[in-house]
Amino acid sequence: MEGVSPPPSARATLASMKIDTADVAVIGLGAVGSAVLYQLARRGVRAVGLDRFAPPHMMGSSHGESRITRLTAGEGEIYVPLVRRSHEIWRELEAATGASLMRTTGGLFIAPAKSAAKHHGAANFVAASAEIARRFDIPYEMLSPDEVMRRYPQMVLRGDEVAIHEPSAGTLFPEACVRAQLSEAQRLGAMVRTDEPVLGVTETSGVVRIETAHGVIEAGQAVITAGPWIAALAGSAMAERTRVYRQVLQWFPCDDPTAFAPERFPVFIWMYGQHDSDYLYGFPAFDGRDIKLATEFFEVPTTADTVNRSVTPAESRAMHDRHVAGRLNGVPREASRAQVCLYTVTPDSRFIVDRLPGHDCVAAVSACSGHGFKHSAGLGEAIAQWVLTGASAIDLAPFRLS
Ligand SMILES: Cc1cc2nc3c(=O)[nH]c(=O)nc-3n(C[C@H](O)[C@H](O)[C@H](O)COP(=O)(O)OP(=O)(O)OC[C@H]3O[C@@H](n4cnc5c(N)ncnc54)[C@H](O)[C@@H]3O)c2cc1C
């Protein structure tokens, strides 16, 4: 198999190490890997999860305190069963762990009535979301620009927009979600090995050999869920189909935090122009002070190992000038803090879930393109079912490499 092989010096050390075994190894324990491991453990599988860091951490794609979740998946109807099942799983996990994982604030999605812009690969995103709502019986309201501004006077619309409000939309708390799934996986018997980079994965005669910085594991199957590192670990099939892009999350203190409190202010997606980059999304002020705002960048690909992880005040001001000013009242120009996060993007923004070419026992998953978190719990369950039985309750066929 292609991918990263350990250097000769590491091989010599590895040769003298004890070999551990597992039925299934999950490589990478972010949103997707922690969900797969938890679901394998629920099924009594002898599973091991490995991560190069100690999740939840700030190096991949699953940090930044909040993620939008919405049932009206304008990206396509294939995602609706995944997000519906995910909402059920988050609530089950909350009951099991006592952690707060999801807050339903409602979601507001706005776009010009006529725009060529696409969002996560979908044209006419707001109209597509409304169509999904109708088809899947998801409660929603269409709002006129005046009605949006009446309900949310913090927002300034032009008057030529369409908007959909989904009461069931809200926020996931990503670090808490990852933590809850890993702790439940461990409680149910899975082994979690952190700060243990996987150096190479090979498959021979139905045995997967995983060489790590600390030893060797032989497993019946492996699932590579390495997020923005997927190309380095899973070889050319994933490298050819994915690009990594630097994204920036910004927190701005609001003049009147009560106006942006989660009881009064929704999560929102706001496409305000004719280009994909005319785009702003945000969250209520969960901490009673700052709202988190962001746009999306797809211009210059990067890698998880080389990306610039610092954000200057000038970069935050430029983001405010271009995307926030004139649209949100009461949000001053100076950010209180910012974080860099990574999108792993496929050409059509669809997820990839498949066995690697030429392999019967090694699967790779890329479920990002900027919209994967909300689906990750349900996707983890479907992947666990598929790995164990060859089939899953939710169809994963649309995500095959072919
Ligand atoms: C800024 C931003 C905003 C987003 N907003 C939303 C949103 O509002 N709604 C939504 O649904 N989605 C959103 N997403 C997308 C969502 O967060 C991602 O789809 C999801 O986090 C992807 O998780 P992952 O498990 O694939 O990757 P990651 O969380 O990055 O996990 C990969 C893991 O693999 C580990 N790893 C990598 N290489 C190795 C190795 N060699 N050995 C061992 N371990 C390894 C890493 O350490 C990491 O922990 C957003 C993403 C970003 C970046």
Side-chain angles (χ1 to χ4, degrees):
M1 175 186 163
E2 302 164 80
V4 178
S5 290
S9 57
R11 278 188 187 283
T13 318
L14 291 169
S16 61
M17 284 181 176
K18 173 168 89 63
I19 295 179
D20 294 318
T21 61
D23 293 336
V24 185
V26 181
I27 302 170
L29 299 175
V32 181
S34 63
V36 175
L37 191 71
Y38 165 55
Q39 295 293 340
L40 290 169
R42 280 183 75 172
R43 287 161 177 77
V45 175
R46 217 162 49 93
V48 59
L50 298 148
D51 202 284
R52 63 191 308 152
F53 302 114
H57 59 74
M58 290 176 50
M59 302 302 282
S61 304
S62 300
H63 58 281
E65 300 175 13
S66 47
R67 291 290 185 272
I68 293 176
T69 185
R70 50 192 157 80
L71 299 181
T72 54
E75 290 87 352
E77 62 180 50
I78 53 174
Y79 296 101
V80 178
L82 286 173
V83 67
R84 274 198 158 139
R85 181 65 190 129
S86 295
H87 280 204
E88 291 171 0
I89 295 171
W90 304 128
R91 292 303 186 210
E92 287 165 16
L93 277 162
E94 284 182 330
T97 62
S100 172
L101 306 182
M102 180 169 70
R103 176 135 179 203
T104 305
T105 56
L108 182 66
F109 315 124
I110 308 168
K114 290 201 177 80
S115 170
K118 286 187 171 179
H119 182 51
H120 300 157
N124 301 315
F125 182 76
V126 169
S129 300
E131 178 57 24
I132 291 279
R134 281 190 285 277
R135 205 165 337 139
F136 288 86
D137 220 8
I138 300 164
Y140 77 104
E141 274 182 284
M142 296 305 294
L143 303 183
S144 68
D146 284 346
E147 182 58 17
V148 170
M149 290 190 283
R150 195 189 64 74
R151 290 190 196 183
Y152 310 109
Q154 311 86 330
M155 295 180 144
V156 183
L157 275 66
R158 279 192 314 242
D160 63 352
E161 299 90 346
V162 287
I164 174 173
H165 181 263
E166 180 198 322
S168 48
T171 300
L172 293 162
F173 304 112
E175 290 87 350
C177 292
V178 169
R179 198 177 292 116
Q181 290 176 112
L182 292 182
S183 69
E184 278 301 279
Q186 277 180 302
R187 191 181 65 76
L188 294 166
M191 190 182 296
V192 172
R193 290 169 52 161
T194 57
D195 299 307
E196 183 162 358
V198 170
L199 306 174
V201 181
T202 49
E203 178 186 326
T204 315
S205 309
V207 177
V208 183
R209 183 179 164 91
I210 298 152
E211 298 193 354
T212 80
H214 304 318
V216 175
I217 296 166
E218 286 185 347
Q221 300 197 59
V223 185
I224 304 178
T225 45
W229 287 267
I230 192 83
L233 210 49
S236 61
M238 299 304 278
E240 283 161 10
R241 291 170 175 82
T242 57
R243 294 285 177 275
V244 174
Y245 293 95
R246 176 181 183 267
Q247 308 295 330
V248 181
L249 299 166
Q250 318 252 10
W251 285 260
F252 291 92
C254 359
D255 291 341
D256 174 12
T258 57
F260 292 96
E263 299 78 26
R264 290 175 61 181
F265 193 71
V267 297
F268 70 89
I269 288 176
W270 194 342
M271 305 168 69
Y272 60 79
Q274 294 298 317
H275 305 286
D276 298 5
S277 59
D278 298 332
Y279 177 73
L280 175 71
Y281 68 95
F283 299 81
F286 286 108
D287 64 359
R289 202 184 76 126
D290 295 346
I291 58 168
K292 191 181 99 176
L293 299 172
T295 184
E296 291 184 327
F297 300 95
F298 297 104
E299 284 79 31
V300 187
T302 183
T303 73
D305 293 326
T306 58
V307 65
N308 172 12
R309 292 185 184 270
S310 62
V311 182
T312 63
E315 189 176 357
S316 298
R317 280 185 221 117
M319 183 276 189
H320 188 286
D321 292 350
R322 159 119 197 245
H323 301 285
V324 183
R327 291 192 183 87
L328 282 179
N329 292 323
V331 181
R333 199 169 172 235
E334 297 299 324
S336 59
R337 60 201 168 99
Q339 285 179 7
V340 168
C341 192
L342 297 167
Y343 277 5
T344 306
V345 179
T346 61
D348 58 3
S349 292
R350 240 182 219 206
F351 302 160
I352 297 172
V353 181
D354 207 349
R355 296 226 155 72
L356 286 173
H359 294 76
D360 298 323
C361 309
V362 182
V365 181
S366 179
C368 186
S369 291
H371 63 113
F373 205 96
K374 67 181 77 58
H375 306 294
S376 57
L379 189 65
E381 182 179 63
I383 292 169
Q385 291 167 344
W386 168 66
V387 162
L388 297 178
T389 69
S392 53
I394 296 174
D395 189 14
L396 295 175
F399 306 128
R400 298 282 181 257
L401 281 164
S402 56

